[in-house]
Amino acid sequence: MISSDTKIFFFVNLFFLIIIFLYGEIIYSNFLNQLYIFLIPLIWPGLAHGSLDILTAKRKKLIKYKFSFFYFLILYLFIPIFFFLIWQIYPNYIFTIFLVLSLMHFGISDKLSHKKSIIINEILLRSLIIICLPIIFYNEQTLAVFYFLNISNEYGIFLTKFFSFASYLIIPLILVFLFSTLKNQDYGHLIDITILFFCFIFFEPLLSFFIYFCFLHSVRHLQNEKKFINLSNKNLLLKTIPMTLIVLFTFICLIFLFFYFPKFINSLNLNNLIIAIFCLTISHVVLINFIKDK
């Protein structure tokens, strides 16, 4: 059976396949064009998929009483601020930590298998697809993304070489995954992985990541948390509205500053704004994947 999030992911890939054939040269001309296209989906369901973290913290018994909510909130905000500040001093090291945590998060959160014998295989496979395929097929563009995040030239080249070597693991991982899915007739899982392969092979790195992050990872997370927290579709939407409005307000302010105070925006540096957004996700990753239910 094909899950609804896989179907959404398929149709979005199909849509952007057509868009790239028609307007690929314009879209790929710079990072900003790709960012503009995904402004709305990055807000919802992208960043908004972390809106349920307080409910998730309550489910995991991290928030039990009034004061524990404030403790949780302070720590939840402190972690990204700390990462951002250290990123400015040691970008190579902090980016590596961020990359490893993110890949683990994507692999663990998006896996469809529940059988212990295949879970680790699927987690590794999904993680390697996301990082290795862009490096293999779009090495220069991937390096440009690394450098945009303040990574040094030498370290960026080292990372691409490392993950190029790690990509050889994809072959045995996919063979094990194929054997398991065909044996158990999990054809929906196979289709999901196939679309993931297509996404990161056909589209350039930033575009492929946006498509994946907004229309598979975020949607799947919202659906999973909806089931765990026992929310209706209406309540799920209502719970994401506050975070969505906050992010939307922030974007509107930045756009306003961009047009009326461009020198101020230039002083902030676009790459630091993106790094700050990335750092905001670290608390979410730790909460979702590294704190067990109690």
Side-chain angles (χ1 to χ4, degrees), residues 32-135:
L32 274 178
N33 287 349
Q34 297 170 58
L35 187 60
Y36 289 147
I37 292 171
F38 282 89
L39 270 181
I40 293 177
L42 276 172
I43 294 171
W44 203 102
L47 296 176
H49 86 270
S51 302
L52 304 178
D53 282 1
I54 290 176
L55 293 178
T56 302
K58 290 179 179 179
R59 175 172 64 82
K60 295 190 174 192
K61 310 299 182 187
L62 294 177
I63 299 177
K64 298 180 181 179
Y65 47 88
K66 186 175 181 180
F67 288 107
S68 63
F69 169 76
F70 293 106
Y71 296 147
F72 171 80
L73 196 60
I74 290 170
L75 184 60
Y76 192 90
L77 294 174
F78 171 78
I79 291 173
I81 292 172
F82 173 78
F83 264 82
F84 178 80
L85 293 175
I86 302 300
W87 195 313
Q88 305 305 307
I89 306 171
Y90 304 108
N92 293 344
Y93 299 127
I94 300 303
F95 175 73
T96 303
I97 295 172
F98 168 78
L99 187 63
V100 171
L101 288 175
S102 298
L103 292 175
M104 291 176 66
H105 173 62
F106 293 140
I108 295 169
S109 299
D110 295 340
K111 71 181 186 325
L112 293 174
S113 301
H114 298 288
K115 297 178 177 64
K116 291 183 179 179
S117 59
I118 194 64
I119 283 178
I120 294 178
N121 183 88
E122 185 180 354
I123 290 172
L124 286 173
L125 178 60
R126 288 182 180 275
S127 300
L128 290 177
I129 288 171
I130 293 168
I131 185 64
C132 292
L133 295 187
I135 287 173

Side-chain angles (χ1 to χ4, degrees), residues 31 138-150 160 205:
F31 289 159
Y138 303 100
N139 190 271
E140 288 185 12
Q141 294 89 331
T142 304
L143 277 171
V145 174
F146 288 168
Y147 298 152
F148 182 77
L149 298 173
N150 295 340
T160 58

